[in-house]
Amino acid sequence: MKIEPITGSEAEAFHRMGSRAFERYNEFVDLMVGAGIADGQTVVDLCCGSGELEIILTSRFPSLNLVGVDLSEDMVRIARDYAAEQGKELEFRHGDAQSPDGMEDLLGKADLVVSRHAFHRLTRLPAGFDTMLRLVKPGGAILNVSFLHLSDFDEPGFRTWVRFLKERPWDAEMQVAWALAHYYAPRLQDYRDALAQAADETPVSEQRIWVDDRGYGVPTVKCFARRAAA
């Protein structure tokens, strides 16, 4: 699958869904707390979309230094406008999760680098994890939550997924986008191999990949790693 930015009406649809479903970010924020997020830290959100996570984080951690990065200029524009509407002064910039180009000032500076439900769109999955590890400082952590490929679902999980798609009050455009996200998602072993490959370039002191259905009701892949201290 060729990576292409989410633009136009699709970007607007993603924002409408995200801004109506703040509760779906709570589980991810809880994971960030477990990864050690604290007020005053620097946090980079790769593939930040329209900035809903940033709005939530600044409410809970008002002194965070937050930087949202997205491949889509439309998403960056929406995120900036949305933050301004909420009275938030936040930084959003254009960038590709598969390369630190445009993020050189952040290399080795972040306490936590995160990404949420975006890595299924990458053509070079190890490069995404490599960027995360290069941005985080020694001793800092990365956290990624991603879609699970349908072939990794058991039968009950697949039935739950189908029911989830049918019962959610989606925009029709979003229902298709969500289904395709699982269709194009990497296999669980692909996530493991990609993180291990990135860790060969930037050593880590711990890493963990697991699957659960917390927060969504359908299985998602959680990837955590801590960059080795200098």
Side-chain angles (χ1 to χ4, degrees):
M1 178 183 179
K2 181 180 179 182
I3 183 171
E4 294 180 353
I6 298 171
T7 60
S9 62
E10 189 179 11
E12 297 289 349
F14 268 87
H15 176 51
R16 286 196 301 273
M17 185 184 74
S19 62
R20 294 197 304 254
F22 268 20
E23 74 281 355
R24 293 192 173 274
Y25 293 84
N26 291 333
E27 183 252 358
F28 188 69
V29 175
D30 289 343
L31 289 172
M32 294 177 70
V33 171
I37 189 174
D39 223 358
Q41 290 182 341
T42 295
V43 176
V44 178
D45 180 13
L46 292 180
C47 311
C48 66
S50 48
E52 285 78 17
L53 178 62
E54 280 68 23
I55 299 299
I56 294 171
L57 287 175
T58 54
S59 296
R60 292 184 59 173
F61 305 97
S63 297
L64 280 181
N65 176 28
L66 274 171
V67 182
V69 181
D70 202 275
L71 182 64
S72 167
E73 294 280 13
D74 283 350
M75 282 295 198
V76 171
R77 172 186 53 78
I78 291 170
R80 288 171 177 163
D81 290 346
Y82 184 52
E85 290 171 5
Q86 302 297 314
K88 307 284 188 179
E89 293 186 10
L90 297 171
E91 180 182 355
F92 297 97
R93 64 173 76 174
H94 176 260
D96 185 347
Q98 297 175 122
S99 169
D101 291 351
M103 295 178 273
E104 290 87 354
D105 59 313
L106 299 171
L107 290 173
K109 301 290 181 59
D111 297 279
L112 181 62
V113 179
V114 301
S115 189
R116 180 180 176 276
H117 286 165
F119 271 32
H120 65 286
R121 299 180 63 87
L122 303 189
T123 56
R124 295 177 290 117
L125 187 59
F129 286 113
D130 179 68
T131 299
M132 296 184 85
L133 286 173
R134 291 177 65 187
L135 290 172
V136 76
K137 65 175 60 172
I142 69 168
L143 176 65
N144 183 293
V145 173
S146 295
F147 290 101
L148 183 66
H149 193 275
L150 292 173
S151 61
D152 281 315
F153 286 11
D154 56 18
E155 183 176 344
F158 183 76
R159 290 181 181 276
T160 298
W161 177 76
V162 171
R163 186 165 58 250
F164 171 80
L165 283 182
K166 292 172 66 176
E167 291 177 353
R168 291 292 298 167
W170 307 95
D171 296 321
E173 196 170 19
M174 284 305 303
Q175 188 174 42
V176 173
W178 201 275
L180 288 175
H182 284 279
Y183 178 80
Y184 284 115
R187 296 291 305 270
L188 179 60
Q189 189 59 47
D190 293 332
Y191 287 109
R192 290 173 173 151
D193 292 344
L195 181 55
Q197 183 176 331
D200 283 341
E201 299 296 326
T202 308
V204 303
S205 59
E206 58 179 306
Q207 60 180 300
R208 181 186 175 207
I209 294 181
W210 72 102
V211 175
D212 64 42
D213 61 359
R214 288 186 57 209
Y216 282 84
V218 293
T220 55
V221 183
K222 276 80 171 179
C223 306
F224 170 84
R226 187 170 301 281
R227 183 172 173 178

